[in-house]
Amino acid sequence: MSSDRRFTGPIDLHTHSRVSDGTESPAELVRAAAAAGLGTVALTDHDSTAGWGEASAAAESAGITLIPGMELSTRIGWSSVHLLAYLFDPADADLLDATARIREARLLRAEQMVERISRDYDVTWDDVLAQTEPGATVGRPHIADALVARGLAPDRSAAFAGILHWRAGYYQPHDAPEPLEAVRLVVAAGGVPVIAHPATRSRADMQLEPVIGQLVDAGLFGLEIDHRENTPEGRVRLQHLASRYGLALTGSSDYHGAGKPNRLGENTTSPEVLDALITRATGSNPVYPPS
Ligand code: AMP
Ligand code: FE
Ligand code: FE
Ligand code: ZN
């Protein structure tokens, strides 16, 4: 679907609501994005599109452009790789099936982690449920919130640096498709895939380079280069990969409301890249403010 739109205002293509591990409802998030002066915001909850409807309605009244999206969990071995997906068909059966499975695997894994943590700390699965919106994609941030509520950590970041860190011995990965399968699913659903924060310090990032050619052949659109967790050396590598494979480069906040220090619009994407992204998409449309 091509677009001759001119985008006004900063563009932030990666945010989370309470549909996954953000702390605001989709409508609150969209209003916060408009209040922060953004012209365009993408809602990219983990493995769920459940916030699209509420976010779309809020975008229309707040006068901001909404790009419906999702951050798909994938894995290489047991290392986690996140794939941003934009403007796909939210009713695509194969993608729905894959996300339902990922959410199931996340739930099982969270229960198992909490079972192990509860042997050493006074925290229960009910504590985690009390921190989780019904139907939300469960992740370590919800366990972190339960630990905070129990006084076992001062905030999410401290919980991640302590009990939830793999070094503490309770960490467990969850099952998820490989990146290539995820890219194929997104493209088949008319969506546009971009690898999220590909150059953080974790090991998965190193494992991405050998498969990037295959991902490009399958329709990968871009790499999220401007993200606070990408290392400076990693960004140089991403620049090289982008020129070599003709990939677009995006920037975004990965806002989680009060759950992370990341602020809306702290990193942004150029209007040219957004325009190319929209032109590539065939699965669904951006929600433009009434003109
Ligand atoms: P999970 O996918 O369940 O392993 O949890 C990873 C999620 O936790 C990521 O999507 C981040 O949004 C969030 N996260 C990672 N590190 C931190 C941190 N230090 N503070 C708050 N949230 C974090
Ligand atoms: Fe998250
Ligand atoms: Fe992520
Ligand atoms: Zn994210």
Side-chain angles (χ1 to χ4, degrees):
M1 291 171 199
S2 78
S3 141
D4 52 8
R5 294 244 167 199
R6 287 263 201 79
F7 296 98
T8 50
I11 298 159
D12 187 341
L13 293 184
H14 185 169
T15 70
H16 298 265
S17 77
R18 272 207 294 273
V19 163
S20 61
D21 54 0
T23 60
E24 294 163 343
S25 70
E28 286 166 347
L29 183 153
V30 166
R31 287 195 290 269
L38 296 181
T40 301
V41 68
L43 177 68
T44 54
D45 276 307
H46 297 282
D47 311 306
S48 175
T49 61
W52 283 21
E54 185 185 316
S56 300
E60 284 187 348
S61 34
I64 184 173
T65 298
L66 175 80
I67 305 294
M70 174 163 75
E71 187 175 12
L72 260 178
S73 306
T74 82
R75 67 182 178 104
I76 298 178
W78 286 110
S79 296
S80 152
V81 174
H82 285 174
L83 186 73
L84 291 160
Y86 301 103
L87 298 170
F88 52 88
D89 174 4
D92 182 87
D94 292 334
L95 196 51
L96 277 174
D97 182 58
T99 51
R101 279 179 211 230
I102 296 169
R103 290 197 306 271
E104 270 302 307
R106 282 177 153 284
L107 186 60
L108 177 71
R109 169 266 199 153
E111 284 174 326
Q112 289 172 343
M113 277 186 69
V114 171
E115 204 280 314
R116 281 156 59 183
I117 295 169
S118 70
R119 293 177 203 165
D120 295 330
Y121 296 95
D122 193 13
V123 64
T124 67
W125 181 244
D126 278 345
D127 293 335
V128 177
L129 289 180
Q131 301 297 329
T132 311
E133 190 100 331
T137 305
V138 183
R140 277 183 293 161
H142 302 97
I143 306 176
D145 290 347
L147 295 172
V148 172
R150 282 279 185 174
L152 294 165
D155 56 28
R156 272 191 186 180
S157 295
F160 268 88
I163 295 172
L164 295 177
H165 197 278
W166 60 266
R167 263 188 261 111
Y170 308 107
Y171 178 80
Q172 192 175 309
H174 61 79
D175 202 6
E178 297 206 329
L180 181 59
E181 188 187 341
V183 166
R184 286 180 173 149
L185 281 166
V186 171
V187 170
V192 184
V194 172
I195 301 173
H197 42 73
T200 60
R201 287 182 200 290
S202 77
R203 217 157 36 103
D205 317 317
M206 305 297 179
Q207 298 179 4
L208 209 52
E209 265 184 57
V211 298
I212 206 127
Q214 281 178 293
L215 302 186
V216 171
D217 291 343
L220 182 70
F221 173 74
L223 304 169
E224 185 185 53
I225 188 168
D226 288 323
H227 182 290
R228 63 159 69 201
E229 286 167 44
N230 285 333
T231 64
E233 319 81 70
R235 290 175 201 222
V236 173
R237 251 172 38 216
L238 295 178
Q239 285 277 7
H240 288 142
L241 287 171
S243 343
R244 176 162 165 209
Y245 291 106
L247 291 165
L249 293 168
T250 68
S252 26
S253 66
D254 204 356
Y255 176 73
H256 283 67
K260 271 187 140 180
N262 310 34
R263 294 298 92 197
L264 284 162
E266 69 177 28
N267 289 296
T268 57
T269 297
S270 76
E272 292 75 25
V273 166
L274 176 59
D275 203 52
L277 189 159
I278 292 169
T279 303
R280 176 87 77 100
T282 58
S284 59
N285 289 309
V287 179
Y288 294 110
S291 41

